[in-house]
Amino acid sequence: MLAEHHFRAMNTEVGVWLWSTSPIAQQALREVEQLFADVESQLSRFRDDSELCRLNARAGQGAVTVSQLLYRVLAQALAAARQTDGIFDPTLLPQLRQAGYDRSFELLADARDDSPLPPAPSGRNGWQQVCLDPAHSTVELPAGVAIDLGGIAKGWTVDRASELLADWGPSLVDAGGDMQARGLPGGESWPVALEDPFHPERDLLTLALADCAVATSTIGKRHWLRNGQRFHHLIDPRTGTSAASDLHTVTALAPSAMEAEVAAKTALLLGTVAGAAWLGKSGNPAILIQHSGQCTSVGQLPLWKRDEQ
Amino acid sequence: MTEPKRPQSAGRRVQGSSLAWKSGLLASSVGGLLLGWALLGQANPVPASTVAEIASPQPRVIVVQVPIPAASNGSQQLVSQSTQPVQANQQAVSSQSASASASPQISMPSMPQKPVFQQPVTRTRGS
């Protein structure tokens, strides 16, 4: 009854579970893998031939006609920037490169780069300068602005994959922690364990997900040293460098994986007090974990109770 | 030398009335027995299946009831062994009688439905 499929895409492990009696459910799971491959080929910033890289290369050269896929995801990312007052900013790629995250993390983790840091990119709030024309499906980037859709593209793909499987039965799509749970397999919620970020072999609790999404932002996975200085991939747009938040990890729930991704990242950048307030205002249940290990929970987390099974 | 004839008519009459009385008694007994049998039959009609068994006592069927996992098919709850092939109705009769004569039936409570998930499907991972 429960078919599953695992593959690697977007530099992470993807798992898909489908509760279906259909003998051709596996075909739907393979379509999900193809969907991830298609989105990655167009929106990856690590592929020189991707549409996103071609767009970034034409910053300052006028409007560029783009595919519906790139247009939609970029429009969603800019909408998220507006909703978070620019804390979630998809135009921080120059800052990310400046911090040293200029290649996929697998390559970055093995590299030793002690070259002097380049000067910090100028300009803030680049997201406000991006011009979209929905009538012609064009994007115009000002000079010096470059787009990174990494996290939000992954969440967007998870949501589309979940929609793709909707006709087959309840499903769970998990792309490196960005998850969308749809329906109730056998009348039950999807149990998803919350990993202890300091002891990955342990779980803090288990969530019961049904028709909702979850995403986790952390500085514990993608970090590196450069010139003896520690960097991570979460850039604070207010400083232009790796965020100095008191938070280590944030897991947030939302109706869609893309929204959960934005909520988790925004809260982590804001820190415990402002982040919890923002989450409460936006209506996203979450758990915030500080570097000290102290946990703060926001809203009502749907917990899986084994004794009710 | 002629013996005087014994009056046989009276004797014959006596013998004849006794025989008639015995015959009547026998007839009434048989009749009563048949009537009783008939009434008994009406009060406790014999099941058709039993009739089938009586009409065809062969073959001999030994039925052994064994515990079966709850998930098994109900038709497999009775395991029959026979030295001869049996017809369906005969096996049904034997099963019926075996069930009736077997030790007190243990009613198996329906098993609670197994939960879909015994453990989390996946884990959150930071990115």
Side-chain angles (χ1 to χ4, degrees):
Chain A
M1 294 288 278
L2 188 62
E4 58 184 280
H5 184 50
H6 299 267
F7 55 93
R8 189 165 179 82
M10 300 182 177
N11 290 323
T12 192
E13 298 296 327
V14 181
V16 187
W17 292 262
L18 177 61
W19 182 261
S20 174
T21 56
S22 172
I24 53 175
Q26 284 291 339
Q27 179 184 335
L29 298 178
R30 284 191 292 273
E31 289 177 12
V32 168
E33 182 175 0
Q34 187 59 49
L35 171 68
F36 271 86
D38 291 344
V39 175
E40 183 178 11
S41 68
Q42 293 190 61
L43 303 188
S44 173
R45 72 174 176 95
F46 299 114
R47 293 187 178 188
D48 292 337
D49 60 343
S50 74
E51 187 180 15
L52 179 63
C53 283
R54 292 199 302 271
L55 174 65
N56 284 335
R58 295 183 62 179
Q61 299 178 26
V64 177
T65 302
V66 298
S67 67
Q68 281 296 305
L69 170 65
L70 176 53
Y71 188 92
R72 287 177 186 170
V73 178
L74 180 54
Q76 297 270 13
L78 295 175
R82 280 191 295 275
Q83 291 162 4
T84 61
D85 292 326
I87 295 299
F88 180 91
D89 187 346
T91 64
L92 294 176
L93 183 55
Q95 288 82 352
L96 199 54
R97 287 175 175 154
Q98 190 267 344
Y101 195 4
D102 53 1
R103 69 207 79 174
S104 68
F105 190 74
E106 289 82 354
L107 300 173
L108 186 66
D110 296 333
R112 283 182 60 88
D113 186 355
D114 291 332
S115 61
L117 293 174
S122 59
R124 286 177 53 190
N125 295 328
W127 63 273
Q128 292 178 323
Q129 303 167 42
V130 178
C131 294
L132 300 183
D133 182 353
H136 300 93
S137 190
T138 60
V139 178
E140 183 174 354
L141 302 181
V145 170
I147 305 291
D148 175 23
L149 297 172
I152 202 165
K154 189 169 61 176
W156 187 90
T157 311
V158 167
D159 293 332
R160 298 294 81 73
S162 180
E163 288 177 0
L164 192 153
L165 297 172
D167 290 339
W168 296 87
S171 67
L172 176 67
V173 182
D174 172 12
D178 285 9
M179 303 181 205
Q180 173 67 264
R182 184 182 291 269
L184 298 169
E188 297 180 18
S189 301
W190 294 92
V192 173
L194 186 72
E195 181 186 87
D196 181 342
F198 303 108
H199 305 92
E201 73 282 3
R202 297 200 308 227
D203 297 330
L204 293 176
L205 51 85
T206 302
L207 299 167
L209 302 182
D211 294 322
C212 73
V214 64
T216 300
S217 273
T218 183
I219 64 165
K221 292 281 176 67
R222 298 179 189 230
H223 53 79
W224 60 94
L225 289 173
R226 187 169 186 184
N227 289 336
Q229 190 177 349
R230 191 172 188 269
F231 292 90
H232 59 78
H233 72 301
L234 297 179
I235 302 296
D236 188 333
R238 297 167 295 188
T239 63
T241 190
S242 296
S245 170
D246 65 338
L247 287 170
H248 180 280
T249 299
V250 175
T251 295
L253 277 67
S256 72
M258 193 175 64
E259 292 171 285
E261 167 80 22
V262 171
K265 186 174 183 180
T266 299
L268 193 141
L269 294 174
L270 288 172
T272 304
V273 175
W278 185 87
L279 289 165
K281 187 179 175 183
S282 61
N284 296 111
I287 185 160
L288 295 73
I289 305 172
Q290 297 180 3
H291 297 286
S292 64
Q294 182 176 329
C295 296
T296 302
S297 113
V298 176
Q300 193 74 30
L301 292 170
L303 299 181
W304 189 55
K305 299 174 183 174
R306 291 170 195 260
D307 55 357
E308 287 184 359
Q309 300 299 307
Chain B
M1 299 294 296
T2 305
E3 290 182 7
K5 291 183 180 176
R6 287 183 292 182
Q8 295 180 355
S9 58
R12 285 194 188 105
R13 279 198 300 271
V14 170
Q15 283 181 341
S17 64
S18 174
L19 187 61
W21 180 80
K22 286 180 181 175
S23 297
L25 185 63
L26 181 62
S28 63
S29 297
V30 171
L33 187 64
L34 291 173
L35 180 63
W37 184 268
L39 290 174
L40 192 63
Q42 284 184 348
N44 300 296
V46 180
S49 57
T50 304
V51 171
E53 186 179 37
I54 292 169
S56 180
Q58 299 293 333
R60 179 184 170 86
V61 179
I62 302 170
V63 179
V64 181
Q65 194 163 17
V66 296
I68 299 289
S72 297
N73 191 321
S75 63
Q76 297 175 331
Q77 288 184 358
L78 295 175
V79 179
S80 61
Q81 298 175 332
S82 174
T83 54
Q84 299 176 42
V86 295
Q87 294 178 357
N89 64 336
Q90 293 168 334
Q91 186 169 5
V93 170
S94 300
S95 302
Q96 205 173 40
S97 60
S99 297
S101 61
S103 56
Q105 295 288 299
I106 301 172
S107 62
M108 298 294 288
S110 60
M111 298 292 287
Q113 191 173 1
K114 190 178 177 183
V116 176
F117 301 111
Q118 304 284 351
Q119 58 188 12
V121 178
T122 185
R123 310 170 77 213
T124 61
R125 298 184 301 283
S127 61

